[in-house]
Amino acid sequence: MAFFQESRPAREPFLRAPASVLILIGVLVAAHIGRVFAPDPAAITEHYALNPAVYAQALKSSGAALPSLSALLIPPFSHMFLHANVTHLAFNCIWLLVFGSVVARRFGTLGFYIFFFVCGLAGAAAFVLMDWGDSNGAIGASGAISGLMGAGIRMLRIREPWLQGATLPLVPLTSSQVLLYSVLWLVMNIAVGKIGIGPMGEAELIAWQAHVGGYLAGLLLAGPFDLYFGPRPNGA
């Protein structure tokens, strides 16, 4: 597959985000406002957060005690649209704007949305499996956004930021850029998650398992997605 790169002056227009990214940010903001002003915000969080205990119960229970199908299938999606507070929401939206724009420019609208949800589901699976049976639920789009980070680090040229990442081949998984960033990112997330420090320094539980699962999914799935949604040579 042939690729073409532009001359040095070209830069990625971070501040001109694709509409797909802005729409997704708008949906996350609207979902947060809707939950905050709902008659019972706590009930919404309880029903739509991702709770590992529910899945553990599903394997142990039978008959009337078995969780409903909706209780098992909806939270892996719905938890991405719930955020603890404005700080949590803002922090996620900033990273979504940065890395989501990179991925959306390369994969297009459909590919971007599919990739976002696939990474979010991978993060959800990692959280449930690594916290199996725990009753602390997870909320937030961090797992999906971590996947965008994983893909973005394979699209960007950190040492040559003037190059157009939307048209160049992906950076190999074994490159020093990918390996160094991934090790630093994973160590930082696990450490922060274990200590329990929020995005602005406040003490809170962090679903680091979802971050790790989403990031690894994004890192590994960027290649297969690129075959279907990535750039095509002229005339292809």
Side-chain angles (χ1 to χ4, degrees):
M1 182 181 291
F3 289 85
F4 306 92
Q5 70 180 49
E6 299 183 12
S7 59
R8 180 170 180 143
R11 288 182 178 273
E12 291 284 357
F14 277 109
L15 297 181
R16 288 182 290 167
S20 56
V21 176
L22 298 178
I23 290 172
L24 182 54
I25 290 176
V27 171
L28 294 180
V29 171
H32 182 70
I33 293 174
R35 184 186 69 83
V36 169
F37 289 98
D40 193 352
I44 295 177
T45 302
E46 181 180 354
H47 284 90
Y48 295 106
L50 183 67
N51 192 335
V54 173
Y55 299 90
Q57 179 187 352
L59 291 183
K60 296 179 181 178
S61 304
S62 61
L66 186 68
S68 66
L69 192 61
S70 62
L72 296 173
L73 298 181
I74 293 179
F77 293 92
S78 61
H79 84 283
M80 302 182 208
F81 297 93
L82 302 177
H83 290 83
N85 48 49
V86 173
T87 300
H88 186 201
L89 174 66
F91 193 78
N92 274 350
C93 286
I94 290 172
W95 287 113
L96 174 57
L97 181 65
V98 174
F99 286 97
S101 296
V102 175
V103 175
R105 289 191 190 103
R106 188 176 185 103
F107 289 167
T109 298
L110 179 61
F112 166 69
Y113 285 137
I114 294 176
F115 194 80
F116 176 87
F117 284 110
V118 168
C119 291
L121 292 175
F127 177 75
V128 170
L129 292 175
M130 296 175 73
D131 256 22
W132 186 255
D134 193 280
S135 59
N136 288 319
I139 57 175
S142 302
I145 295 171
S146 295
L148 297 177
M149 293 181 182
I153 202 62
R154 297 193 62 191
M155 299 175 186
L156 294 171
R157 296 301 192 276
I158 294 179
R159 296 180 180 178
E160 301 170 304
W162 57 84
L163 297 179
Q164 288 283 2
T167 58
L168 294 174
L170 294 176
V171 177
L173 286 170
T174 55
S175 68
S176 59
Q177 171 178 305
V178 171
L179 293 176
L180 179 59
Y181 181 88
S182 297
V183 169
L184 292 175
W185 190 92
L186 292 171
V187 170
M188 181 187 69
N189 270 270
I190 294 174
V192 170
K194 292 291 187 179
I195 297 172
I197 302 296
M200 298 301 291
E202 70 275 16
E204 61 181 45
L205 293 175
I206 304 296
W208 62 270
Q209 303 93 330
H211 296 185
V212 172
Y215 180 83
L216 292 178
L219 198 68
L220 298 174
L221 294 177
F225 266 75
D226 204 52
L227 295 176
Y228 293 95
F229 299 106
R232 294 290 184 269
N234 291 342

